[in-house]
Amino acid sequence: MAAAAAAMAEQENSRNGGRNRGGVQRVEGKLRASVEKGDYYEAHQMYRTLFFRYMSQSKHAEARELMYSGALLFFSHGQQNSAADLSMLVLESLEKAEVEVADELLENLAKVFSLMDHVAFVKGSSQSGGSGRLGHPSHTMLALTWKVEQNYCESRYHFLHSADGEGCANMLVEYSTSRGFRSEVDMFVAQAVLQFLCLKNKSSASVVFTTYTQKHPSIEDGPPFVEPLLNFIWFLLLAVDGGKLTVFTVLCEQYQPSLRRDPMYNEYLDRIGQLFFGVPPKQTSSYGGLLGNLLSSLMGSSEQEEGEESPSDGSPIELD
């Protein structure tokens, strides 16, 4: 009896799904006809009305599908503003539904992003409230798109906030081999790992380190590694798991020659010490100028996730 009831329920869900899909297709046909006639404003407003109607009924997939097809339609007619607005609604549906972003969805997002002005999209996605969240799909999509365009600085920033350690590592390998010096092979991944840790993302920090060191053609198998800085990062990740302040302190002291290669390393480690090892904040913050602004941009969204207030005037984060 239970099996029969389950089968009947599954059939009913299938029929409902088919009816819903058919309904979406009919709506799409009417909206397409309006756009083809040049009634852009009316069609745009109808798309928005239907989006919020679907969302209120928790029909997130239908809302997302309709907005995606609408965005492509408006792009094909040169209606950039309407297309960009519907693309923002695609992101909003992902955020509200809190679904896992599959590869197909990422490809769709990348497609609409490639059709629009990048600056407008970044501005719109930040205003939507989603792009400030760690792991939000807009960061992954932006990171991948900038990577394809070989804008590695922008790509790295968004990978850090996408929490995609493997994707970040692949980008860094490409960045290092195409633009970096052989002597800096260890510095590319060291900075990324430290920044992930400053965002309290231990899992991505470990993934980016392991993936990068395994895939980079200039790095010999390890650990241990030939490059002292790579050994430091390896030990640091182990120390973070252990949480022992004495281990962290000795590690930083022993590897100071390597850490002096970039003045930001010790700034990051100060923060990591506070987050993972209970190091008290400095009485007088050393974060100022360019260093402070960089740390602020990296860590601001992470702290807002926890309900902490970030400076509204763009000033550096105060750690005292």
Side-chain angles (χ1 to χ4, degrees):
M1 291 291 293
M8 291 177 61
E10 184 175 348
Q11 290 176 354
E12 181 64 22
N13 289 335
S14 177
R15 284 195 295 270
N16 289 337
R19 285 196 294 269
N20 290 338
R21 180 69 191 102
V24 172
Q25 287 179 332
R26 286 193 295 273
V27 170
E28 285 178 339
K30 293 179 180 179
L31 291 171
R32 182 175 294 275
S34 294
V35 174
E36 296 291 347
K37 289 190 300 182
D39 297 333
Y40 302 128
Y41 177 79
E42 291 80 0
H44 183 195
Q45 294 307 308
M46 184 56 68
Y47 270 109
R48 291 184 61 85
T49 298
L50 289 170
F51 173 79
F52 292 110
R53 181 181 300 171
Y54 280 140
M55 293 297 288
S56 68
Q57 298 171 356
S58 296
K59 296 180 179 178
H60 302 119
E62 289 88 343
R64 182 165 57 252
E65 181 180 342
L66 186 61
M67 295 306 103
Y68 172 68
S69 64
L72 294 182
L73 180 60
F74 278 116
F75 276 128
S76 69
H77 285 76
Q79 301 298 305
Q80 283 276 333
N81 291 336
S82 295
D85 180 61
L86 297 191
S87 300
M88 294 305 105
L89 295 180
V90 173
L91 292 179
E92 183 175 334
S93 71
L94 288 172
E95 181 181 358
K96 296 289 178 60
E98 297 183 350
V99 297
E100 182 177 348
V101 183
D103 290 342
E104 183 180 357
L105 278 177
L106 286 176
E107 291 174 2
N108 290 345
L109 290 171
K111 184 175 182 179
V112 296
F113 177 69
S114 67
L115 295 172
M116 74 172 72
D117 177 73
H118 293 189
V119 175
F121 183 88
V122 173
K123 181 180 179 182
S125 61
S126 63
Q127 289 175 342
S128 73
S131 66
R133 290 174 45 203
L134 293 179
H136 191 270
S138 63
H139 281 301
T140 304
M141 184 266 295
L142 287 167
L144 291 171
T145 304
W146 288 126
K147 175 178 178 288
V148 169
E149 298 189 0
Q150 298 183 344
N151 188 331
Y152 298 113
C153 291
E154 288 286 349
S155 179
R156 180 175 58 187
Y157 171 82
H158 288 287
F159 267 124
L160 286 169
H161 288 81
S162 75
D164 180 3
E166 184 175 359
C168 183
N170 291 331
M171 180 276 296
L172 289 173
V173 170
E174 183 178 312
Y175 190 9
S176 171
T177 54
S178 63
R179 304 279 180 84
F181 295 107
R182 173 63 183 85
S183 60
E184 298 174 338
V185 63
D186 50 352
M187 299 181 73
F188 281 83
V189 70
Q191 183 185 51
V193 169
L194 294 174
Q195 289 175 338
F196 270 123
L197 290 176
C198 283
L199 293 169
K200 295 190 287 188
N201 190 343
K202 292 191 296 182
S203 60
S204 293
S206 297
V207 170
V208 73
F209 180 74
T210 300
T211 305
Y212 181 89
T213 53
Q214 288 178 348
K215 291 188 174 182
H216 200 293
S218 298
I219 296 178
E220 297 180 9
D221 291 341
F225 300 94
V226 174
E227 299 83 357
L229 185 59
L230 293 182
N231 288 323
F232 169 78
I233 296 296
W234 174 47
F235 285 127
L236 176 63
L237 290 170
L238 295 175
V240 165
D241 287 334
K244 293 184 179 180
L245 178 57
T246 53
V247 174
F248 174 69
T249 302
V250 171
L251 185 60
C252 292
E253 290 176 350
Q254 291 297 314
Y255 280 90
Q256 274 304 305
S258 294
L259 296 177
R260 292 193 191 102
R261 293 170 63 191
D262 187 331
M264 280 302 301
Y265 290 161
N266 283 316
E267 301 285 356
Y268 290 138
L269 289 168
D270 284 345
R271 180 66 175 175
I272 292 167
Q274 295 172 35
L275 293 175
F276 297 103
F277 300 97
V279 176
K282 292 183 178 181
Q283 292 301 312
T284 302
S285 174
S286 63
Y287 301 99
L290 291 175
L291 301 183
N293 290 334
L294 179 57
L295 282 174
S296 178
S297 67
L298 279 173
M299 297 182 289
S301 61
S302 175
E303 294 185 349
Q304 284 182 314
E305 282 284 285
E306 298 180 354
E308 300 177 16
E309 293 185 1
S310 61
S312 59
D313 59 356
S315 58
I317 294 176
E318 294 295 335
L319 302 180
D320 53 355

